[in-house]
Amino acid sequence: PFTPAPTARADERGLPAAVVAARSLPGVFAFDPVTRRASFGAATDASAGSAPAGTPGAPAETPAVFDARASWYAPAGRMANGRPFDPRALTAAHRTLPLGSWLRITYRDRVAVVRVTDRGPYSADRDLSLSPGAAGVLGLTGPDTVHVEVVTGPAG
């Protein structure tokens, strides 16, 4: 299962652990390779300080398959994972999914598999931002609804 690291790693650009944890999905990320479903919930460890799932104030579960309002973006500089932004890469930004998660995005009759490498979008009416490369593969030219399936969790 995915839990935020207690200390900053090299790919987090030396950010304090509290900042990294705030940018990460709260709780536990689990992926079942047999059913190909991901589950997101509150941490079960009492020392984690988060409320159990289903209690007031607990993080809501993010479904493994959902529809999202998406558009494309092109940030300058580095992404949240610390790497430079490549507009041709098949990447995406999401507010809560763990960095490194793989998503299968379907738009109309086109499909692209993208990796979550950044945080955002910062527009209230968007749920997902795609790189220009991913938007081009899908034929997405502006904000629209896409179908998202979490394929796998973050790599090691």
Side-chain angles (χ1 to χ4, degrees):
F2 171 81
T3 55
T7 59
R9 296 185 311 242
D11 63 339
E12 291 160 349
R13 296 180 288 161
L15 294 173
V19 173
V20 173
R23 290 183 173 184
S24 300
L25 179 71
V28 177
F29 173 83
F31 177 74
D32 184 355
V34 175
T35 62
R36 300 182 59 83
R37 299 282 183 218
S39 63
F40 306 87
T44 55
D45 183 5
S47 65
S50 58
T55 61
E61 288 195 15
T62 303
V65 177
F66 55 96
D67 288 334
R69 185 88 172 145
S71 63
W72 62 273
Y73 80 126
R78 296 188 177 274
M79 299 175 293
N81 68 357
R83 294 189 175 93
F85 180 73
D86 180 1
R88 297 165 298 178
L90 300 181
T91 60
H94 192 272
R95 289 183 191 94
T96 58
L97 288 173
L99 296 177
S101 297
W102 289 93
L103 310 175
R104 180 179 293 123
I105 312 289
T106 306
Y107 178 67
R108 297 185 181 164
D109 60 345
R110 295 181 174 189
V111 176
V113 176
V114 301
R115 189 171 195 177
V116 177
T117 58
D118 207 358
R119 291 292 174 223
Y122 298 105
S123 176
D125 63 337
R126 309 279 197 288
D127 304 310
L128 186 70
S129 289
L130 301 171
S131 65
V137 167
L138 294 168
L140 183 72
T141 57
D144 208 346
T145 302
V146 297
H147 184 74
V148 180
E149 178 184 350
V150 180
V151 178
T152 186

